[in-house]
Amino acid sequence: MKILGIETSCDETAVAVVEDGRYLHSNVIASQIDIHRRYGGVVPEVASRQHVLQMMPVVTESLDQAGMKLKEIDGVAVTYGPGLAGALIVGLNTAKAIAMSMEIPLIGVNHLEGHLYAAWLDSDMPETSPGFPMVCLIASGGHTDLLVMANHGRYTLLGRTRDDAAGEAFDKAARILGLGFPGGPEIQKTAEGVSASLTLPRAMLRGTYDFSFSGVKTALLHTAQRSKVYPGGELDEMLMTERVKDLSAAFQDSVVDVMVSKTIQAAVEYDARGILLGGGVTANAMLRSVISAKSPVPVLIPAPILCTDNGAMVAACGYFHLGRGLVSTQAIDVDPGLSLG
Ligand code: KG4
Ligand code: ZN
């Protein structure tokens, strides 16, 4: 069963061909990061226009790389939310047109659920190893959700961020530190091998599985102001570099520590057989190594390229929907505020 997966919820125009929810035939991602970088963040209107320009070339490229014709595809899965409305529409309309003209099933996919199904790609089947229930952390630019996945399609939300998403916090922190966009990879690179000389606060919000990252961001801003890193221009280059490294490491330590502690606590409380991570922030090398080292249960983390937005995760999720008869009609609309669990 070969599924074409289409993802356009934010700033990547991404299309993949995945067989049986696991085998990756192609995974083409046209990133708009270079365009949005000059604005310091994703500009929705610019994103929609880019998707329109990139959509068909990316579909063609994905089929070419898979060595397949559209008529060999058995179903088309597409993200219909959450995300930017104007961006989602481009992918959804493309998927509708393909499904209608090829007379194949159309499968609407929740982007957040898609992030979890990245763990099924090119790996053992998580439903048998480690098996359900799994505690899932989805950490991306717009979400930080902790859930229990009892089976395919069965989620209970344990907690979510009360303010900034983890990725958003990384992006804002990077801006404070004068680093580039997106902030997560920049902070990771800057903090590499650095042992922070200071500790920034951790909002553990005990008694709940909710998160809060606005406090650490404000603490970072105040520390950066005190040490003359922000707004900049006062320190010589060497001192500036040294302090930015130190603050990057301290910030990353705090965000990673909170996410790891709460996820492991949930895994223990809910007798999870494993922990499953997904979303752009879970590409973070420190998060990956710390949670793997500390977790009492197996941790499944997709390869970094499958943690950030891609079409393969959408195709994988769509395959499992199709197996349960979950297909969409042409009446499906975008749902920018869609949640999971
Ligand atoms: O899942 P994603 O690609 O898009 C959304 O659904 O939002 O996540 C993007 C977010 C950005 O905020 C980016 O800074 C963050 O993921 N990110 C990272 C890393 N790579 C991407 N955060 C921390 N460390 C990384 N290596
Ligand atoms: Zn995402």
Side-chain angles (χ1 to χ4, degrees), residues 158-177:
L158 301 179
R160 55 161 46 144
T161 182
R162 294 184 182 176
D163 39 59
D164 291 350
E168 189 182 356
F170 268 107
D171 295 339
K172 289 177 178 170
R175 214 171 301 156
I176 293 169
L177 298 176

Side-chain angles (χ1 to χ4, degrees), residues 115-136:
H115 270 307
L116 297 179
Y117 275 87
W120 267 260
L121 292 162
D122 288 330
S123 69
D124 292 338
M125 282 186 286
E127 62 265 65
T128 49
S129 167
F132 295 117
M134 287 181 251
V135 157
C136 311

Side-chain angles (χ1 to χ4, degrees), residues 111 115 140-142 167-168 170-171 182-185 188 279-281 283-284 307-309:
H111 180 82
H115 270 307
S140 69
E168 189 182 356
F170 268 107
D171 295 339
Q188 174 180 320
V281 178
N284 184 271
C307 289
T308 46
D309 290 350

Side-chain angles (χ1 to χ4, degrees), residues 177 179 186-199 202 238-254 256 284-286 289-290:
L177 298 176
L179 301 171
E186 293 290 325
I187 289 192
Q188 174 180 320
K189 205 167 38 174
T190 310
E192 205 180 322
V194 179
S195 170
S197 71
L198 72 160
T199 305
R202 282 123 166 90
M238 232 173 78
L239 201 53
M240 179 75 177
T241 305
E242 195 180 299
R243 289 188 183 169
V244 167
K245 280 179 176 232
D246 198 27
L247 288 174
S248 294
F251 181 82
Q252 181 173 258
D253 284 350
S254 168
V256 166
N284 184 271
M286 186 183 181
S289 69
V290 173

Side-chain angles (χ1 to χ4, degrees), residues 29 36 45 72 75 109 132 166 222 249 251 261 294 309 314 325:
I29 304 167
H36 297 287
E45 186 54 32
E72 294 169 70
V109 167
F132 295 117
H222 290 160
F251 181 82
S261 307
K294 288 191 173 171
D309 290 350
V314 178

Side-chain angles (χ1 to χ4, degrees), residues 2 11 49 65 89 91 95 118 125 144 150 153 162 190 219 289 317 325:
K2 298 178 196 86
D11 60 342
R49 286 163 194 256
Q65 283 190 17
I89 284 170
M125 282 186 286
T144 309
R162 294 184 182 176
T190 310
S289 69
C317 185

